[in-house]
Amino acid sequence: MINRNLQNKTVGMVSLGCSKNQVDAERLLGALRLAGYAISSVAEDCGVVIINTCGFIESAKQEAIDTILEFAAKKQAGQIGGLIVTGCLSERYREEFMAQLPEVDGVLGIGKNAEIVVAVDAVLAGQKYCAFGEKEDLSLEGERMMVGESYTAYLKVAEGCDNRCSYCAIPDIRGRFRSRPIENILAEARELVKAGVVELNLVAQDTTRYGEDIYGELALPRLLERLCEIEGLGWVRLLYCYPERVTDRLLDVIAAQNKIVNYIDLPVQHASGKVLSEMNRRGDAQSLTALTQKIRAKIPDACIRTTLITGFPGESEEDFEILAKFVKEIEFDRLGCFAYSQEEGTPAGEREDQLDEEVKRRRAEIIMETQARIAEQKAAQMIGKEIEILVEGHDRQRRMSIGRSRADAPDVDGRVYYKGEAATPGSFVRVKVTGADGYDLIAERV
């Protein structure tokens, strides 16, 4: 049973979903810490637990609901005090939360994240709290309390999206695209580096569109050059790059700046021109092939990551064969493939030509089986090479140290396991690759 004398100023959080959501969670925690709340690293025995939800696709929604119900049971058992829900799912379904989940004590839409302290105060006082506002009121600035490793951080450069892909609910959940001023981003980056961060991972719904709304131009190259001037910063990584906005100028900056890892996250979604058009996206296999060839010509050691969707409504066998052939020919360095998720309120979700779930799933499996063979070949090509890695810790079971290479983004890619003298997490060391294990590399410290 929770100790009521200790709980009142203790807050725990469970943050679900993407890295952009994690940044929001860290700002919520930062505001609470400034207000005098103690933040628990374990969401147990707390006065209030906040569930920062994802609501992008069906599986994410189910995970969020399951998590809320899990902590509602803990609340019922007296293991925690109050329960507050924030994030994409609460924004997407708003007042439905309080009606359908009476166990929840507070709900905030993303436009009311600034009221998190008021909400926690109210819940601890035994009151219900529910607030929603304009999506664009979500602040992109403010104190952050970092969660996870101290040497790596996500840096959100923009919020919202104007692309309106037909399968995606993000514009309705997160609002219109809006960039942060360069100076604000730089100030936050300097503070993060001062606190010990050596790797910054730039995120947005559409990172390559950065600056277009406030500067009248695609300003990501300019931002990157300024970030690279920060002393003590080791790596800068780009995530969520929209293919049509990967310009020659951007590629030239990546190639010229050693701090920018040669890693380009390029979610192309499909290769069939028909499917891409119906997704409200541009391009086809030919144009996307040309783009990957340009990237590799300008940055010979580029690591290109992509994400794909199989089973979009109306995707024919021919469309899928175009995609499968594209994956074989391009040989992406990193790839994730997901079965299409039918989302209410989206144009694609309203279509009548939905595919069978088994067909969608099997097509995704075929793509991932192909990619596994490609990954195995690429890993074999790395044997004998020396690479720089960012040390993350030690694996007691393997009795090896763990790190990530420039070609491995946190949370989504493989790792490098190495033998030899251990190093402090957050430091950079050189290793020689001696083998591979699935998506991971085996190495020895040089």
Side-chain angles (χ1 to χ4, degrees):
M1 185 70 68
I2 188 168
N3 187 328
R4 298 288 176 181
N5 295 321
L6 298 178
Q7 72 167 17
N8 287 345
K9 300 293 285 186
T10 304
V11 177
M13 175 176 283
V14 177
S15 188
L16 306 171
C18 69
S19 54
K20 299 177 288 294
N21 212 35
Q22 179 179 322
V23 174
D24 291 349
E26 292 170 349
R27 293 206 194 285
L28 292 170
L29 292 176
L32 288 164
R33 184 171 61 179
L34 283 176
Y37 280 96
I39 307 300
S40 173
S41 60
V42 180
E44 306 282 352
D45 299 335
C46 296
V48 170
V49 170
I50 301 167
I51 311 296
N52 191 43
T53 60
C54 176
F56 178 43
I57 58 175
E58 189 60 36
S59 59
K61 289 187 285 187
Q62 190 58 55
E63 180 187 20
I65 292 170
D66 290 345
T67 304
I68 292 167
L69 293 176
E70 174 191 346
F71 279 88
K74 292 179 185 292
K75 175 190 165 187
Q76 183 68 27
Q79 296 173 341
I80 64 172
L83 185 59
I84 294 176
V85 178
T86 62
C88 289
L89 195 67
S90 60
E91 176 63 37
R92 188 170 185 181
Y93 295 102
R94 296 202 164 201
E95 286 82 357
E96 295 177 42
F97 257 98
M98 302 300 271
Q100 297 186 15
L101 293 168
E103 303 94 337
V104 173
D105 301 294
V107 179
L108 290 181
I110 64 169
K112 289 294 185 178
N113 273 10
E115 295 186 14
I116 187 62
V117 174
V118 178
V120 172
D121 287 345
V123 169
L124 284 177
Q127 304 167 9
K128 294 279 188 176
Y129 195 90
C130 182
F132 299 96
E134 296 297 325
K135 300 171 181 62
E136 287 75 17
D137 288 341
L138 172 66
S139 176
L140 306 185
E141 314 297 337
E143 182 83 6
R144 283 174 68 179
M145 178 179 171
M146 303 296 293
V147 298
E149 305 299 343
S150 61
Y151 50 81
T152 183
Y154 293 103
L155 184 60
K156 188 190 289 191
V157 301
E159 180 58 86
C161 188
D162 293 340
N163 290 328
R164 290 287 173 183
C165 299
S166 65
Y167 53 82
C168 183
I170 290 296
D172 293 327
I173 299 171
R174 286 281 172 173
R176 61 177 177 77
F177 181 84
R178 51 208 186 275
S179 302
R180 298 174 62 191
I182 285 180
E183 292 305 325
N184 294 27
I185 297 171
L186 292 174
E188 181 178 357
R190 293 188 191 103
E191 286 299 313
L192 290 169
V193 172
K194 185 178 178 181
V197 170
V198 296
E199 178 189 39
L200 288 175
N201 303 280
L202 272 58
V203 295
Q205 302 298 340
D206 181 356
T207 307
T208 39
R209 192 169 192 162
Y210 171 75
E212 186 180 58
D213 53 324
I214 56 178
Y215 299 119
E217 65 175 5
L218 299 177
L220 183 58
R222 181 153 52 106
L223 171 62
L224 289 170
E225 289 178 327
R226 296 288 303 278
L227 285 169
C228 289
E229 296 172 0
I230 298 176
E231 188 174 349
L233 176 59
W235 290 352
V236 179
R237 187 182 306 275
L238 286 177
L239 301 174
Y240 310 109
C241 299
Y242 203 78
E244 281 67 44
R245 298 187 184 94
V246 176
T247 64
D248 288 343
R249 167 74 172 136
L250 176 60
L251 295 177
D252 290 341
V253 169
I254 294 173
Q257 297 286 348
N258 185 56
K259 288 186 178 182
I260 306 173
V261 299
N262 295 339
Y263 182 104
I264 300 179
D265 178 26
L266 195 74
V268 301
Q269 310 303 0
H270 214 280
S272 162
K274 177 180 77 70
V275 172
L276 284 168
S277 177
E278 292 174 353
M279 287 179 167
N280 197 30
R281 296 177 68 94
R282 300 174 185 173
D284 53 21
Q286 183 177 359
S287 65
L288 292 171
T289 298
L291 175 58
T292 58
Q293 289 173 342
K294 178 192 288 188
I295 292 172
R296 286 169 171 160
K298 285 183 171 287
I299 311 171
D301 61 344
C303 175
I304 306 177
R305 177 181 178 83
T306 197
T307 51
L308 303 170
I309 298 172
T310 55
F312 184 81
E315 180 190 63
S316 65
E317 285 287 350
E318 181 182 358
D319 293 323
F320 177 69
E321 286 302 320
I322 291 172
L323 178 61
K325 180 182 178 184
F326 174 74
V327 170
K328 289 179 183 177
E329 292 180 349
I330 298 300
E331 295 187 344
F332 285 99
D333 301 277
R334 306 282 186 268
L335 183 149
C337 186
F338 306 92
Y340 165 76
S341 176
Q342 184 178 5
E343 293 302 310
E344 58 188 309
T346 64
E350 301 300 321
R351 289 177 53 161
E352 296 182 357
D353 52 350
Q354 304 291 325
L355 271 64
D356 181 77
E357 290 296 327
E358 177 59 25
V359 171
K360 295 190 291 185
R361 183 190 60 80
R362 181 57 189 148
R363 288 179 179 179
E365 289 176 350
I366 291 171
I367 295 297
M368 289 309 300
E369 287 166 1
T370 299
Q371 182 61 28
R373 291 191 290 271
I374 293 170
E376 183 179 359
Q377 294 168 2
K378 287 184 174 288
Q381 293 169 4
M382 292 296 297
I383 296 175
K385 294 184 178 181
E386 288 189 12
I387 58 174
E388 178 186 47
I389 67 168
L390 173 60
V391 178
E392 294 192 309
H394 189 79
D395 187 314
R396 291 184 179 181
Q397 186 174 0
R398 293 196 185 199
R399 297 182 181 179
M400 302 175 78
S401 296
I402 311 169
R404 281 186 291 107
S405 74
R406 288 173 170 254
D408 299 310
D411 304 319
V412 294
D413 293 325
R415 287 177 162 180
V416 180
Y417 293 83
Y418 74 91
K419 298 178 181 179
E421 184 182 355
T424 304
S427 59
F428 294 98
V429 301
R430 292 196 67 79
V431 299
K432 183 175 182 179
V433 179
T434 59
D437 182 7
Y439 289 97
D440 300 322
L441 296 178
I442 309 300
E444 295 180 348
R445 185 165 178 182
V446 177

